[in-house]
């Protein structure tokens, strides 16, 4: 019984930390620009709309500040986003989707995105589990395409 309680407490602690973070990440063998270029190509090949690309490092440079390579790609598909916003209108603050590529202080590139399960909890979404699962799988597939060798 004690082992079961310990396992539950461990799971809840790990889940709580995960839910607070809400960010899925993977490492990329490519630099930031290449990772975002590859992500763009993967998204466009699936008919996703690219709304914008923000190069935070370039913007920092314009005001004579430095920032390691950091870019955000903003994209979406109304066929998936609209049903989700019908489940929880507040989700619109987190849409369209975004993926962030950044270089850490060791020079490693990472790609991150909001975990749909986190967004579900954040917005109290109910009844959209099937769409959320599709979004989660699609985001993971896009990340894989952007970060594969």
């Amino acid at each position: 019984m004690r082992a079961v309680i310990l396992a539950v407490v461990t799971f809840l602690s790990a889940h709580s930390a995960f839910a607070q973070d809400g960010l899925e990440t993977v490492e990329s063998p490519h630099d930031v620009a290449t990772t975002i270029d590859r992500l763009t190509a993967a998204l466009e090949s699936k008919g996703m709309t690219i709304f914008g690309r923000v190069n935070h490092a370039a913007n920092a440079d314009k005001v004579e500040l430095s920032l390691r390579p950091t870019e955000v790609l903003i994209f979406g598909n109304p066929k998936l986003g609209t049903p989700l916003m019908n489940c929880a209108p507040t989700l619109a603050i987190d849409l369209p989707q975004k993926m962030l590529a950044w270089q850490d202080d060791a020079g490693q590139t990472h790609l991150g995105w909001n975990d749909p399960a986190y967004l579900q909890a954040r917005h109290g979404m109910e009844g959209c589990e099937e769409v959320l699962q599709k979004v989660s799988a699609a985001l993971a597939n896009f990340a894989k395409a952007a970060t594969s060798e």
Side-chain angles (χ1 to χ4, degrees):
M1 180 68 167
R2 186 176 191 136
V4 171
I5 292 172
L6 181 59
V8 170
V9 168
T10 301
F11 170 77
L12 290 175
S13 296
H15 182 68
S16 175
F18 172 76
Q20 288 176 349
D21 183 19
L23 191 66
E24 293 283 336
T25 62
V26 295
E27 290 186 354
S28 176
H30 313 291
D31 63 27
V32 167
T34 302
T35 299
I36 293 293
D37 289 344
R38 291 171 57 93
L39 177 60
T40 299
L43 291 164
E44 289 177 340
S45 77
K46 296 296 183 183
M48 302 293 281
T49 300
I50 305 299
F51 295 107
R53 181 173 180 164
V54 180
N55 185 330
H56 289 293
N59 290 333
D61 190 51
K62 289 177 186 176
V63 294
E64 299 178 8
L65 295 172
S66 64
L67 181 66
R68 288 187 300 269
T70 305
E71 294 190 36
V72 174
L73 191 67
I74 305 162
F75 60 93
N77 180 340
K79 287 183 181 180
L80 293 175
T82 302
L84 293 174
M85 289 184 282
N86 279 326
C87 285
T90 59
L91 181 64
I93 194 71
D94 289 311
L95 294 179
Q97 292 285 341
K98 294 166 278 306
M99 283 197 174
L100 163 68
W102 75 96
Q103 183 184 78
D104 66 22
D105 56 0
Q108 176 63 54
T109 300
H110 304 268
L111 183 65
W113 62 96
N114 285 322
D115 176 19
Y118 170 79
L119 295 177
Q120 179 181 22
R122 178 178 186 202
H123 297 283
M125 297 173 67
E126 295 181 15
C128 281
E129 289 75 16
E130 185 177 323
V131 177
L132 285 165
Q133 288 174 356
K134 286 180 184 178
V135 169
S136 185
L139 292 173
N141 286 334
F142 293 136
K144 184 177 180 179
T147 61
S148 64
E149 300 247 13

